Amino acid sequence: MITLSLGSPREFSMRSRLLLFVLLALLGIPSSADAQVDTFQFDTEEQQQRFRHLSDILRCPMCQNTNLTGSTGGVAEDLRREIHRMIMEGLSDADIEQFMFDRYGDFIFYRPRLTAETLLLWFGPLIFLFIGGIVAYGIVRRATPMSDAGVPLDKSQQERLEKLLENKR
Amino acid sequence: MSRLKYFVPVIVFLGLAVVLWRGLYLDPKELPSMLIDKPMPEFALTTVDDESVSNADLPDQIFLLNIWGSYCLPCLIEHPTLMRLSEEGEIPVVGVNYRDRKDLAQDWLVDNGNPFSFSILDESGRFGIDLGVYGAPETYLVDANGVIRFRHVSVLDETVWQEEFVPAIAELRAGSGQ
């Protein structure tokens, strides 16, 4: 922790508040100020939740490392408006995701759909883990007999061993 | 054979390295369009000059669909190329004035010249969404049947025209005898 010569208790609380703010900023914990979303009217809480969820999981095609919730890009603004419209028209989340997919493809999803094309993306790491496991298993299995007993000693070795044990006594 | 297996990790590494090395030079801004080989989305809108347009007004030959806006600086860079293509009659160019204001769009065309047969006015960006547009400039190559065949994201200069569009158009013409 940071130690500084501290002034009055009031100053301390200012400081810790500032510190907290800096830490949160560094951690990238989103505060409500990041969201670009709160200008839409919904009939129900559930609709609003769905809107939040969809804008969180969909990626802005222009500013590629933000979701629709966080993006100030023009196209993100338009897409949020479209999501709002479709929710109000009673379309399901699956319909809305399909709408986005038809226009922007897998890129629009942070979590790509499971299709033939994305199969390697989804299971590639598992395949590598599996290969690594096999290799590790092979190495361990081959290494074991070397360190283990069970290799019979020949006659001279046996005699030497007994002599050594004798001496010990 | 038993010696060979010691080289397997090296081969796997080299394979992976080649794939990742190529990946370094891919432009992450160039997303594949979902509309390739799909018909132009249906539209019934107005032009920048207040005339109503729909799919029926599109050229019945191979043409370019260029997404532009008066705010768009790269559009100025590609503008001379679009002007040349249009003036020399090489290919018709239809504009989509994307997320712009009509008066600003009109001024821009007066100031810089108008290479477009007409410009579809898309102030809301709604038509852009149907095209899968994510920002001007983008240029689509559409065939005589109104099917989208190719998309280029960002500036269409003479180099891009020669290296990407000319071969794509030649291929289309060869394929359909147009």
Side-chain angles (χ1 to χ4, degrees):
Chain A
M1 212 51 200
I2 301 168
T3 50
L4 292 162
S5 60
L6 298 168
S8 68
R10 189 181 152 69
E11 195 185 333
F12 172 71
S13 80
M14 282 288 284
R15 245 177 236 216
S16 48
R17 229 179 289 169
L18 185 70
L19 188 65
L20 185 69
F21 178 79
V22 169
L23 281 176
L24 286 179
L26 287 175
L27 287 170
I29 293 171
S31 66
S32 56
D34 288 341
Q36 314 283 336
V37 290
D38 289 318
T39 50
F40 294 106
Q41 296 293 316
F42 296 92
D43 293 338
T44 65
E45 183 75 12
E46 186 246 343
Q47 287 174 337
Q48 188 167 357
Q49 291 298 331
R50 284 177 55 210
F51 180 85
R52 286 258 163 82
H53 171 69
L54 285 166
S55 332
D56 280 345
I57 63 166
L58 295 174
R59 175 149 64 161
C60 170
M62 186 163 62
C63 352
Q64 301 193 336
N65 288 320
T66 44
N67 56 19
L68 293 183
T69 306
S71 175
T72 50
V75 70
E77 199 183 306
D78 295 347
L79 291 177
R80 285 196 300 269
R81 198 181 57 232
E82 283 303 300
I83 293 172
H84 174 255
R85 177 184 65 77
M86 287 187 275
I87 287 176
M88 298 313 279
E89 283 175 7
L91 272 72
S92 72
D93 285 4
D95 292 338
I96 296 172
E97 286 179 26
Q98 188 61 41
F99 174 94
M100 295 296 172
F101 177 80
D102 288 343
R103 287 156 180 78
Y104 291 98
D106 275 313
F107 183 87
I108 197 87
F109 303 114
Y110 269 111
R111 179 185 261 271
R113 295 175 160 197
L114 192 57
T115 61
E117 277 189 325
T118 60
L119 221 54
L120 201 62
L121 195 61
W122 275 96
F123 296 109
L126 275 181
I127 293 167
F128 279 110
L129 187 68
F130 184 69
I131 293 170
I134 289 175
V135 170
Y137 177 74
I139 290 170
V140 169
R141 223 181 84 141
R142 218 170 330 141
T144 313
M146 310 267 288
S147 61
D148 221 321
V151 182
L153 301 174
D154 65 23
K155 213 175 166 197
S156 65
Q157 286 172 323
Q158 190 66 39
E159 279 168 9
R160 210 174 138 220
L161 175 66
E162 273 161 21
K163 219 162 140 193
L164 284 167
L165 290 170
E166 204 94 315
N167 290 349
K168 252 247 139 97
R169 279 174 210 151
Chain B
M1 188 56 216
S2 64
R3 279 270 179 91
L4 215 61
K5 74 181 176 193
Y6 293 109
F7 291 100
V8 168
V10 180
I11 292 162
V12 169
F13 169 77
L14 285 176
L16 209 61
V18 167
V19 169
L20 296 178
W21 182 262
R22 283 195 50 209
L24 282 180
Y25 295 94
L26 293 177
D27 184 356
K29 291 267 170 203
E30 287 223 8
L31 305 182
S33 170
M34 290 300 285
L35 275 90
I36 300 301
D37 295 335
K38 299 218 174 96
M40 276 269 292
E42 295 289 321
F43 66 95
L45 296 162
T46 59
T47 65
V48 170
D49 301 314
D50 288 321
E51 285 159 21
S52 38
V53 274
S54 68
N55 298 64
D57 299 300
L58 294 171
D60 44 13
Q61 53 173 309
I62 298 172
F63 67 96
L64 297 181
L65 187 76
N66 177 255
I67 317 297
W68 68 279
S70 66
Y71 52 84
C72 159
L73 288 178
C75 295
L76 281 176
I77 300 173
E78 66 179 14
H79 195 254
T81 303
L82 295 180
M83 287 300 281
R84 183 187 72 75
L85 293 174
S86 161
E87 276 168 4
E88 293 177 7
E90 208 164 330
I91 191 165
V93 186
V94 173
V96 175
N97 181 246
Y98 178 66
R99 289 181 59 85
D100 201 356
R101 261 173 44 197
K102 191 166 71 182
D103 54 330
L104 296 178
Q106 288 168 345
D107 290 349
W108 194 88
L109 291 174
V110 170
D111 291 346
N112 299 297
N114 186 355
F116 306 113
S117 313
F118 54 87
S119 276
I120 303 164
L121 187 67
D122 183 28
E123 279 174 307
S124 67
R126 182 61 189 79
F127 183 51
I129 290 177
D130 283 342
L131 280 166
V133 165
Y134 50 96
E138 287 181 27
T139 306
Y140 294 76
L141 181 66
V142 187
D143 74 10
N145 302 315
V147 177
I148 293 171
R149 293 300 187 178
F150 178 73
R151 168 172 78 169
H152 175 74
V153 173
S154 91
V155 174
L156 194 187
D157 56 17
E158 291 294 338
T159 312
V160 172
W161 171 254
Q162 287 302 334
E163 287 178 2
E164 295 186 23
F165 281 85
V166 168
I169 292 167
E171 202 178 305
L172 277 183
R173 294 219 160 108
S176 64
Q178 284 172 29

